[in-house]
């Protein structure tokens, strides 16, 4: 019998497997990014049905095998229902999940990345901060967590954008989604984060293509 493991995490993606099962990618505090099979999760009566959707955050009991995990049970604390009722916010959130999937690594402490992802999704739900700004703060904060960042923008920017960059880097994730910017400063800050992304990242994100087609955001 494989060992039973308790993890706290969020479902990043969910893929149907066979007739009734799902393969989940989960970002966890304890084991970083892992893959787990949710057997029978596509059955209408399954206790794993709701928790096997992307954005589901909570405590999960897993059987740990030699090369994979199997979900035994889930206690979901947050489904992010309000986010998923708004098409634009859903697109932003899906991009955040894909971005976290890219940076998540198995076997490492996933707490910092999970925290910034969770708080960013809460900010999307609340909608008090401009959505393009939430995106750029999330990108820069995530890249900082993974050591792919610069202490200041790669090119000269105005005072407001430079201050914002510094603020994002030095502020804890739970407090960083708490401000707004004038349009010109937001455009400068967004362009600077995009330039940093192009310097470090070597891939395209499908969800980002959909988002930019929908919103035309920064």
């Amino acid at each position: 019998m494989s060992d039973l493991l308790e993890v706290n995490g969020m479902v990043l993606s969910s893929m149907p497997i066979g007739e009734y099962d799902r393969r989940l990618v989960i970002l966890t505090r304890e084991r970083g990014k892992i893959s787990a099979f949710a057997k029978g999760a596509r059955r209408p009566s399954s206790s794993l049905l709701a928790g096997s959707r992307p954005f589901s955050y909570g405590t999960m009991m897993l059987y740990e095998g030699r090369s994979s995990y199997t979900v035994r049970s889930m206690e979901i604390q947050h489904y992010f229902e309000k986010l998923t009722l708004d098409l634009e916010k859903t697109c932003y959130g899906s991009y955040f999940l894909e971005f976290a999937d890219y940076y998540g690594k198995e076997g490492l402490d996933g707490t910092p990345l999970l925290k910034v992802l969770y708080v960013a999704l809460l900010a999307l739900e609340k909608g008090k901060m401009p959505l393009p700004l939430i995106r750029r703060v999330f990108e820069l904060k995530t890249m900082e967590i993974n050591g792919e960042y610069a202490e200041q923008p790669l090119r000269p920017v105005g005072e407001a954008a430079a201050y914002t960059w510094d603020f994002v880097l030095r502020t804890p994730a739970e407090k960083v989604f708490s401000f707004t910017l004038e349009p010109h400063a937001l455009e400068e800050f967004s362009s600077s984060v995009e330039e940093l992304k192009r310097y470090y990242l070597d891939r395209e994100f499908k969800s980002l293509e959909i988002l930019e087609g929908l919103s035309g955001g920064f």
Side-chain angles (χ1 to χ4, degrees):
M1 179 69 67
S2 56
D3 296 329
L4 192 59
L5 172 70
E6 179 178 297
V7 299
N8 297 276
M10 181 180 296
V11 177
L12 301 181
S13 64
S14 177
M15 177 184 299
I17 297 292
E19 190 172 359
Y20 297 113
D21 304 340
R22 284 192 175 276
R23 177 182 176 274
L24 310 179
V25 176
I26 308 170
L27 178 61
T28 73
R29 293 178 182 175
E30 297 80 2
R31 299 293 177 91
K33 186 179 75 171
I34 63 172
S35 295
F37 293 95
K39 295 184 177 180
R42 298 169 65 196
R43 295 181 185 272
S45 60
S46 174
S47 61
L48 304 179
L49 178 64
S52 296
R53 298 179 302 195
F55 301 112
S56 298
Y57 172 85
T59 302
M60 307 168 193
M61 302 300 296
L62 311 175
Y63 286 116
E64 182 178 8
R66 291 183 178 179
S67 59
S68 64
Y69 297 85
T70 301
V71 182
R72 178 190 177 188
S73 64
M74 295 175 147
E75 184 178 338
I76 303 302
Q77 283 89 48
H78 205 136
Y79 291 98
F80 290 95
E81 298 99 326
K82 293 180 181 179
L83 188 156
T84 58
L85 293 175
D86 183 296
L87 178 58
E88 185 176 16
K89 290 182 179 181
T90 300
C91 289
Y92 272 99
S94 297
Y95 169 56
F96 291 2
L97 295 184
E98 191 177 358
F99 202 75
D101 192 347
Y102 174 83
Y103 274 109
K105 300 292 186 293
E106 187 171 359
L108 300 179
D109 180 10
T111 302
L113 181 55
L114 181 61
K115 181 182 292 185
V116 72
L117 174 61
Y118 182 82
V119 177
L121 294 177
L122 286 179
L124 284 180
E125 274 198 325
K126 294 176 182 177
K128 295 181 179 180
M129 193 173 175
L131 302 187
L133 180 56
I134 296 174
R135 168 191 164 183
R136 295 308 189 177
V137 170
F138 171 74
E139 290 172 337
L140 180 56
K141 199 67 183 172
T142 299
M143 295 176 74
E144 180 215 355
I145 289 170
N146 287 274
E148 296 184 345
Y149 72 103
E151 293 291 342
Q152 57 189 8
L154 300 182
R155 296 184 183 183
V157 295
E159 182 177 353
Y163 177 82
T164 300
W165 189 282
D166 179 67
F167 174 79
V168 171
L169 294 182
R170 61 182 171 82
T171 302
E174 58 269 24
K175 297 181 179 180
V176 76
F177 296 95
S178 60
F179 67 97
T180 188
L181 285 175
E182 295 296 328
H184 177 69
L186 173 56
E187 185 173 358
E188 276 198 319
F189 177 66
S190 297
S191 298
S192 298
V193 177
E194 182 63 27
E195 185 174 15
L196 188 73
K197 278 177 55 188
R198 290 177 179 174
Y199 181 82
Y200 281 111
L201 273 64
D202 59 355
R203 63 161 289 180
E204 301 292 331
F205 296 91
K206 294 181 180 179
S207 54
L208 183 57
E209 295 177 7
I210 298 173
L211 171 62
E212 293 182 335
L214 177 69
S215 66
F218 297 106

